[in-house]
């Protein structure tokens, strides 16, 4: 209950901040754009503290507008009287192209360090790393010392360019300016607080440790801006740095040695699993595959998972790992200081969240490795370990489940399908930015819902308390908005569902871990997916400006594989994703119901499966990209001529 209260408080604070940003941003968006820009410039020139927050609130609206109107310019004759303030505001609101135009028209040495930073960051955000490095190269030591963000961006573009000496020099200034850069880093999903007090291990890790942290962070950031192919190389460098550190394990404090002894874990056998593996429910699904990798012999050692109260995405699902690892809770089972020292050991002993070194020595993105492991796991006929673990402990949820059934009129023998669509409310996202292109409207699922209910089933909608409401429909339950919603009931409902309908979002990973037949619709992904043979999916069609649909081969190859990570990057690249049609979704759900009913062979025979799936497999650049799953036959039939274009022409 304590963890639930902490999470509720954190969620409430985030919601208030989000709502404030929405209100302020929406108000600014109603005003003439150049007038808003001028006001932000003047407030910046006057050093008003609220100006930065106003830029953040306006950012998503600017990003969305520029995706549709890339030729628009915010600068005016009046704003040009404040050149440096104008450049900083342009960067702050995401008008990166205009920053480049404005700074490029003058001598960079005559600009402030803030303007240099704005140029470096703008080049970086547009994936122009060589140009960003050129802009950062002229920064003087006093500029790097005073402006921490400039120093850190210089470190990133230097390491991207292969200049490790330059990167380490810039990291010196970044760490000197802000102690948070001493913190060990693997993934932003760890959600660290900005305050950090370094410990002795943060110093002892030296050059390899700085490179481990920097390459992990830079690898994520290049992926965010659509250049994930560079991220793979950076992650390999991080793993190489860790391998170097492991040749000489460090001396740890007496308290940490005592903790490890109490856990029965030697420093040499320690495999540390840091917080990012548990902060999102989809990441817990990845953790399932990580331990399956250990069962396959892909790694060995004693796993210790480090968590913080209130940051575990789903406590019930997380408890299923109790028999697989030791768990340390910062602030409860260990002090903050001891927990941070333990986390600093991840540079030597951490299981990397971003990449994995395969048994043959090759380094690949972590989810690529997970998909390959899933393939081996299923070829060997292994089952679903978390499903077995849950069934040992599910009695606690049975009574509450019966109350839910009774409250909504379900009979004891009734079957149901769980439904979840990703929406902006959970992560407080703004339109046209970040991962918003992964969201999907619930309206296109209504025909599929009617299909299920016409066959005697029920549909139970999962999600957050702010998720879109289902319209009134027979045999449907908007559980997400009900009093029954809880971590325990989320997991219990998925475990006992006949099938699951979802998107590329975290709850889908729970259903996959349990082996529930899944219809994954409105799917769009940069990552290889951890989907098993019970999954059928329909991808969001991605179309270029002229209407041409990107093919399956393009979506699994550089550069488009990486460009689909971010909505703004897709927009700048001249592409837009479309939601699946109601027809695509209906056919996908129909096929998954056939799996649930044991009619797969019959369904395949009636839908020309052998021919069209043969074409699809030839179209994949990476055979394991969707694990052992496959597209729905209805989706392939509707889009075959465009989606499988290269494979058809080769055959």
């Amino acid at each position: 209950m304590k963890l639930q209260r902490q999470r509720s408080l954190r969620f409430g604070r985030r919601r208030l901040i989000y709502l404030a940003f929405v209100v302020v941003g929406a108000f600014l968006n109603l005003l003439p754009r150049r007038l808003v820009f001028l006001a932000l410039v003047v407030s910046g020139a006057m050093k008003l503290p609220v100006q930065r927050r106003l830029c953040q609130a306006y950012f998503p609206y600017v990003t969305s507008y520029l995706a549709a109107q890339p030729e628009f310019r915010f600068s005016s004759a009046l704003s040009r009287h404040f050149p440096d303030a104008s450049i900083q505001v342009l960067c702050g609101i995401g008008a990166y192209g205009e920053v480049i135009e404005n700074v490029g028209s003058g001598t960079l040495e005559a600009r402030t360090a803030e303007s240099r930073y704005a140029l470096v960051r703008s080049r970086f955000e547009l994936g122009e790393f060589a140009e960003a490095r050129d802009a950062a190269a002229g920064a003087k030591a006093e500029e790097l010392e005073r402006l921490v963000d400039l120093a850190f961006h210089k470190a990133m573009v230097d390491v991207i360019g292969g200049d490790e000496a330059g990167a380490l020099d810039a990291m010196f200034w970044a760490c000197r300016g802000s102690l948070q850069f001493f913190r060990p880093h693997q993934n932003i999903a760890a959600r660290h607080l900005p305050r950090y007090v370094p410990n002795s291990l943060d110093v002892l890790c030296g050059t390899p440790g700085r490179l481990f942290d920097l390459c992990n962070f830079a690898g994520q950031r290049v992926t965010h801006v659509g250049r994930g192919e560079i991220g793979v190389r950076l992650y390999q460098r991080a793993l190489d740095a860790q391998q170097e550190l492991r040749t000489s394990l460090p001396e740890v404090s007496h308290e940490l040695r005592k903790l490890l002894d109490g856990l029965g874990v030697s420093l040499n056998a320690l495999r540390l699993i840091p917080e990012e593996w548990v902060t999102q429910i989809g990441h817990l699904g990845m953790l399932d595959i990580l331990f399956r990798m250990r069962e396959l012999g892909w790694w060995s050692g004693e796993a210790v998972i480090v968590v913080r109260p209130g940051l575990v995405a789903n406590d019930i699902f997380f408890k299923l790992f109790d028999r697989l690892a030791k768990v340390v809770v910062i602030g409860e089972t260990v002090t903050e200081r001891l927990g941070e020292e333990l986390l600093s050991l991840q540079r030597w002993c951490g299981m990397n969240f971003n990449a994995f070194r395969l048994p043959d020595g090759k380094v690949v993105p972590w989810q690529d490795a997970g998909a390959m492991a899933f393939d081996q796991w299923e070829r060997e006929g292994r089952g679903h370990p978390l499903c077995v673990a849950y069934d040992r402990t599910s009695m606690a949820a049975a009574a509450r489940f019966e109350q839910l059934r009774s409250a909504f009129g379900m009979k004891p023998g009734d079957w149901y399908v769980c439904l979840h669509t990703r929406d902006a409310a959970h992560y407080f996202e703004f339109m046209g930015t970040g991962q918003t292109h992964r969201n999907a409207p619930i309206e296109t699922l209504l025909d599929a819902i009617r299909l299920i209910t016409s066959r005697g089933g029920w549909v139970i909608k999962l999600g957050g308390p702010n998720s879109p409401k289902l319209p009134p429909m027979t045999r449907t339950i908007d559980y997400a908005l009900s009093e029954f919603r809880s971590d325990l009931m989320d997991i219990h409902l998925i475990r006992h569902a006949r099938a699951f309908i979802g998107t590329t979002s975290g709850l889908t990973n729970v259903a996959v871990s349990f082996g529930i037949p899944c219809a994954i619709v409105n799917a769009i992904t940069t990552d290889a997916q951890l989907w098993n043979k019970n999954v059928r999916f329909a991808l969001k069609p991605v179309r270029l400006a002229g209407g041409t649909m990107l093919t399956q081969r393009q979506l699994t190859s550089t550069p488009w594989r990486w460009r689909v990570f971010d909505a703004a990057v897709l927009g700048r690249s001249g592409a837009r994703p479309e939601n699946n049609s109601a027809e695509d979704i209906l056919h996908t759900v129909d096929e998954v119901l056939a799996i649930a009913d044991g009619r797969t062979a019959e369904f395949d025979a009636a839908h020309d499966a052998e021919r069209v799936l043969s074409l699809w497999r030839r179209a994949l650049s990476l055979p394991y990209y969707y694990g052992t799953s496959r597209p729905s036959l209805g989706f392939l039939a509707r889009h075959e001529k465009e989606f499988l274009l290269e494979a058809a022409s080769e055959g």
Side-chain angles (χ1 to χ4, degrees):
M1 290 299 294
K2 180 181 177 182
L3 295 183
Q4 194 72 27
R5 284 196 301 272
Q6 288 175 326
R7 191 186 306 159
S8 297
L9 287 171
R10 178 177 277 107
F11 183 88
R13 285 194 297 268
R14 287 172 60 205
R15 186 167 184 262
L16 286 174
I17 293 170
Y18 169 75
L19 289 174
F21 269 66
V22 168
V23 170
V24 172
F27 173 73
L28 294 176
N29 197 46
L30 292 174
L31 302 174
R33 291 180 179 83
R34 290 194 178 92
L35 177 62
V36 173
F37 176 71
L38 178 61
L40 292 173
V41 169
V42 172
S43 63
M46 295 172 65
K47 310 291 186 187
L48 297 181
V50 74
Q51 187 255 14
R52 181 169 169 270
R53 294 293 188 187
L54 291 174
C55 287
Q56 289 176 329
Y58 198 37
F59 177 90
Y61 297 95
V62 170
T63 302
S64 181
Y65 182 74
L66 289 177
Q69 303 290 336
E71 74 286 348
F72 182 82
R73 296 296 176 263
F74 287 87
S75 300
S76 64
L78 285 173
S79 63
R80 293 188 191 100
H81 288 289
F82 308 94
D84 289 313
S86 293
I87 290 166
Q88 291 164 46
V89 171
L90 287 169
C91 183
I93 64 176
Y96 302 123
E98 197 169 348
V99 170
I100 294 168
E101 291 173 6
N102 286 10
V103 179
S105 63
T107 304
L108 190 56
E109 284 67 24
R111 300 285 190 183
T112 62
E114 286 78 8
S115 292
R116 184 189 296 275
Y117 165 65
L119 179 60
V120 173
R121 180 183 167 188
S122 296
R123 291 287 193 186
F124 189 101
E125 296 296 335
L126 295 176
E128 299 171 358
F129 304 127
E131 293 84 352
R133 189 178 176 207
D134 288 342
K140 299 179 178 63
E142 54 267 28
E143 291 179 287
L144 299 176
E145 182 178 19
R146 184 173 66 82
L147 203 58
V148 172
D149 288 336
L150 175 59
F152 190 64
H153 270 74
K154 184 178 187 302
M156 285 198 291
V157 295
D158 280 346
V159 80
I160 290 167
D163 180 7
E164 292 187 0
L168 290 167
D169 180 68
M171 279 298 291
F172 167 81
W173 293 110
C175 291
R176 181 168 171 169
S178 177
L179 295 179
Q180 68 173 326
F181 290 112
F182 277 103
R183 185 193 293 273
H185 182 85
Q186 287 204 49
N187 193 272
I188 296 168
R191 300 179 188 170
H192 296 305
L193 296 173
R195 182 186 60 83
Y196 186 66
V197 178
N199 56 64
S200 61
L201 295 180
D202 297 328
V203 178
L204 283 173
C205 69
T207 291
R210 295 285 85 78
L211 287 173
F212 176 87
D213 301 335
L214 177 62
C215 288
N216 273 312
F217 189 91
Q220 291 171 85
R221 289 294 292 118
V222 298
T223 302
H224 295 169
V225 302
R227 297 294 305 277
E229 73 279 8
I230 296 174
V232 179
R233 170 171 56 82
L234 293 170
Y235 295 146
Q236 176 163 349
R237 184 65 185 93
L239 288 177
D240 289 345
Q242 184 182 60
Q243 204 167 45
E244 181 181 346
L245 283 167
R246 280 197 64 79
T247 60
S248 179
L249 295 174
E251 285 294 325
V252 299
S253 69
H254 171 73
E255 293 87 348
L256 183 51
R257 179 69 66 179
K258 185 177 178 182
L259 171 67
L260 292 175
D261 288 345
L263 294 172
V265 177
S266 70
L267 191 58
N268 189 58
L270 172 65
R271 295 297 178 267
L272 196 69
I273 299 177
E275 303 153 287
E276 39 269 72
W277 288 91
V278 304
T279 55
Q280 295 176 201
I281 195 159
H283 293 185
L284 287 169
M286 293 169 59
L287 193 57
D288 170 31
I289 307 305
L290 181 69
F291 283 111
R292 297 196 202 194
M293 288 175 171
R294 187 171 66 176
E295 287 295 309
L296 291 171
W298 287 26
W299 63 278
S300 61
E302 293 289 336
V304 174
I305 307 174
V306 182
V307 302
R308 291 179 196 269
L311 284 182
V312 178
N314 184 294
D315 297 314
I316 302 303
F317 196 55
F318 180 58
K319 287 183 184 299
L320 303 182
F321 297 96
D322 280 351
R323 299 189 181 191
L324 301 173
K326 309 292 174 57
V327 177
V328 171
V329 184
I330 296 178
E332 291 189 1
T333 61
V334 299
T335 64
E336 182 83 17
R337 181 182 60 80
L338 185 56
E340 292 289 8
E341 184 184 0
L342 178 60
L343 282 172
S344 291
L345 276 174
Q346 66 184 280
R347 299 181 181 110
W348 286 267
C349 308
M351 296 301 299
N352 198 281
F353 184 86
N354 303 309
F356 190 88
R357 196 182 299 275
L358 298 172
D360 65 4
K362 182 180 179 181
V363 173
V364 297
W366 192 91
Q367 293 221 174
D368 285 37
M372 294 181 209
F374 222 140
D375 178 64
Q376 180 179 337
W377 185 273
E378 291 204 331
R379 279 190 283 105
E380 294 178 5
R382 300 174 184 245
H384 307 287
L386 294 191
C387 193
V388 175
Y390 181 77
D391 288 347
R392 293 193 197 104
T393 62
S394 64
M395 292 302 295
R400 188 62 170 165
F401 179 51
E402 289 308 315
Q403 290 175 0
L404 182 152
R405 292 168 67 99
S406 176
F408 289 99
M410 291 181 70
K411 296 177 182 178
D414 286 347
W415 59 273
Y416 65 90
V417 171
C418 283
L419 165 68
H420 177 255
T421 60
R422 192 182 192 277
D423 62 83
H426 186 71
Y427 289 110
F428 307 112
E429 296 167 321
F430 293 96
M431 66 212 179
T433 62
Q435 301 290 287
T436 52
H437 61 320
R438 289 170 59 194
N439 300 333
I442 204 163
E443 290 76 16
T444 51
L445 288 114
L446 300 184
D447 286 349
I449 292 173
R450 293 186 187 98
L451 174 70
I452 294 164
T453 58
S454 70
R455 295 183 181 178
W458 287 70
V459 174
I460 301 179
K461 195 206 87 183
L462 310 180
N466 298 307
S467 58
K469 293 181 180 179
L470 272 176
M473 300 177 71
T474 183
R475 302 173 74 89
T476 61
I477 300 174
D478 210 332
Y479 154 84
L481 308 182
S482 77
E483 62 178 303
F484 295 97
R485 181 180 174 272
S486 68
D487 282 0
L488 176 59
M489 196 53 56
D490 283 353
I491 304 305
H492 193 80
L493 286 172
I494 294 173
R495 168 63 187 95
H496 294 284
R498 178 168 293 192
F500 181 93
I501 305 171
T503 55
T504 35
S505 63
L507 281 176
T508 296
N509 287 22
V510 177
V512 173
S513 286
F514 285 160
I516 307 300
C518 292
I520 302 177
V521 297
N522 283 307
I524 186 166
T525 176
T526 289
D527 296 314
Q529 288 298 321
L530 312 177
W531 295 341
N532 60 32
K533 62 186 178 182
N534 284 339
V535 170
R536 299 293 182 267
F537 61 88
L539 299 177
K540 283 193 175 188
V542 179
R543 296 191 183 276
L544 301 177
T548 302
M549 182 181 180
L550 293 182
T551 65
Q552 178 66 97
R553 185 163 299 170
Q554 289 174 307
L555 288 171
T556 53
S557 307
T558 300
W560 284 107
R561 173 186 179 179
W562 309 110
R563 289 175 179 171
V564 300
F565 179 86
D566 184 273
V569 171
L570 262 183
R572 286 197 292 267
S573 303
R576 58 179 176 82
E578 296 177 351
N579 293 318
N580 284 143
S581 67
E583 181 185 0
D584 283 342
I585 295 171
L586 180 67
H587 287 312
T588 305
V589 171
D590 190 24
E591 186 168 351
V592 167
L593 291 178
I595 297 173
D597 295 340
R599 296 184 291 106
T600 303
E602 173 189 335
F603 192 95
D604 286 357
H607 290 82
D608 196 20
E610 186 175 347
R611 181 192 67 81
V612 74
L613 289 173
S614 175
L615 275 178
W616 171 69
R617 292 187 183 99
R618 290 209 302 270
L620 283 172
S621 296
L622 300 170
Y624 53 79
Y625 196 75
Y626 302 104
T628 56
S629 71
R630 69 191 208 197
S632 76
L633 297 175
F635 174 83
L636 288 180
R638 183 163 180 252
H639 299 285
E640 176 184 343
K641 291 182 180 178
E642 294 178 289
F643 190 57
L644 306 179
L645 180 65
E646 299 98 338
S649 64
E650 294 167 357

